[in-house]
Amino acid sequence: MYRRLCALLLSLTLLWTAGAGAAQAGPGKRVHNGMQILFSPSASYPFCTIGAVGTDRYGHRIAVSAGHCLSDPAYADREIHDDVAPVYDRADPGFGPIGHVRYFKDPEGSRTGHITKDYMIIELVPQVTLSSQGPYLKQTGVLEVPGGTASPNAPLPALDTERLLATGVNELVVSGQTGVWFGTVMANTGGIYRSPAANLAGDSGGPAVWHVPGSELPSEANGFQAAGPWAGITKAITFSFPPFEYTSSANILADLRARDAATPGGVHGAGFEVTTEP
């Protein structure tokens, strides 16, 4: 049993109405992991967070967040080709949309057998600049786990990017409203990691990276900064211990590949790679 974070109970039709009169995006905005996002420019709460930024195999500029941030059965779990669901920088909604939602997993579906697929794909507008550097975390590519256990979402044979971290010996470093935290992966249920690394409502979709053994952990001495490959996104606070859940990047990338293979013309986000831009 778990409690959802930041479920924005808005229909995409209402989101389109709210965004229709927004200003056109101008040049120069940097989009990065840890950026807080809105789905209507007229309300600063509730909100979600970007977990990773990069490009897909089709050349689309992509941001990844949590699927449960939206709820509309008419649009859930399918490609959204029209710009009906704009996304805004919470710190600067007047800039206009930084992108548009192309896919999200409906939260009701996530409760009934699709818990492993809680993600959202946002196609970013051409006017923004991609960055691998968030407020606390620099993402150095996508996590690869040679020979590890495959995500349940993976078409077989699974790729190294679709394999899961072992529990008890790997640490996640995450960031959100309260700063940056790290903690061991204590449990792994279908590619959903549980860790003492903390999050709050609104951090949904936010970044988690793998702590590379021997690399610096965030501390006062290094400005609470850390670097590592993208390992997942914030999912939920639960009643279990430790209470904080994260959807693995392996689950997201595997599901994207499976959906891409089954969809004529492909899907946004397939073959996602974290940007190398600073």
Side-chain angles (χ1 to χ4, degrees):
M1 186 68 180
Y2 57 88
R3 177 169 62 85
R4 289 282 170 187
L5 292 182
C6 192
L8 305 185
L9 303 178
L10 301 174
S11 74
L12 291 179
T13 302
L14 290 177
L15 292 176
W16 178 86
T17 302
Q24 292 296 309
K29 177 174 290 294
R30 190 173 66 91
V31 177
H32 50 79
N33 75 76
M35 173 181 279
Q36 295 175 351
I37 53 174
L38 302 172
F39 302 92
S40 168
S42 60
S44 63
Y45 188 89
F47 59 92
C48 280
T49 303
I50 288 176
V53 173
T55 55
D56 68 12
R57 61 179 294 192
Y58 301 108
H60 302 126
R61 290 141 48 87
I62 298 294
V64 182
S65 190
H68 68 257
C69 293
L70 289 176
S71 177
D72 189 329
Y75 286 92
D77 201 17
R78 69 173 181 82
E79 283 287 289
I80 306 169
H81 296 287
D82 299 323
D83 295 345
V84 295
V87 178
Y88 301 85
D89 175 5
R90 185 176 183 236
D92 183 20
F95 178 84
I98 62 169
H100 297 87
V101 177
R102 298 300 182 214
Y103 175 86
F104 71 96
K105 171 59 70 174
D106 181 74
E108 290 300 321
S110 293
R111 292 191 187 100
T112 56
H114 297 289
I115 189 174
T116 64
K117 302 179 181 182
D118 185 358
Y119 70 95
M120 173 187 295
I121 297 298
I122 302 162
E123 183 180 13
L124 299 170
V125 299
Q127 294 89 340
V128 302
T129 300
L130 281 61
S131 174
S132 60
Q133 178 66 63
Y136 298 101
L137 303 182
K138 181 175 179 62
Q139 293 177 333
T140 57
V142 173
L143 177 66
E144 298 184 9
V145 185
T149 302
S151 161
N153 301 339
L156 298 178
L159 306 179
D160 287 349
T161 54
E162 298 167 354
R163 297 182 182 273
L164 301 167
L165 291 170
T167 59
V169 293
N170 288 287
E171 288 185 296
L172 295 179
V173 188
V174 308
S175 76
Q177 299 162 78
T178 58
V180 61
W181 299 84
F182 56 88
T184 302
V185 177
M186 302 299 294
N188 170 11
T189 304
I192 304 299
Y193 301 136
R194 185 173 294 126
S195 170
N199 60 65
L200 293 176
D203 292 338
S204 285
V209 302
W210 178 55
H211 173 235
V212 179
S215 66
E216 279 193 295
L217 285 165
S219 66
E220 187 174 7
N222 62 22
F224 299 101
Q225 298 292 303
W230 177 52
I233 60 174
T234 298
K235 177 174 176 57
I237 301 172
T238 74
F239 295 110
S240 302
F241 183 83
F244 305 106
E245 283 189 343
Y246 296 87
T247 299
S248 64
S249 56
N251 276 12
I252 297 169
L253 295 172
D255 191 58
L256 283 166
R257 183 162 70 100
R259 290 177 48 235
D260 190 57
T263 304
V267 302
H268 287 79
F272 177 79
E273 293 284 350
V274 171
T275 182
T276 58
E277 295 300 316

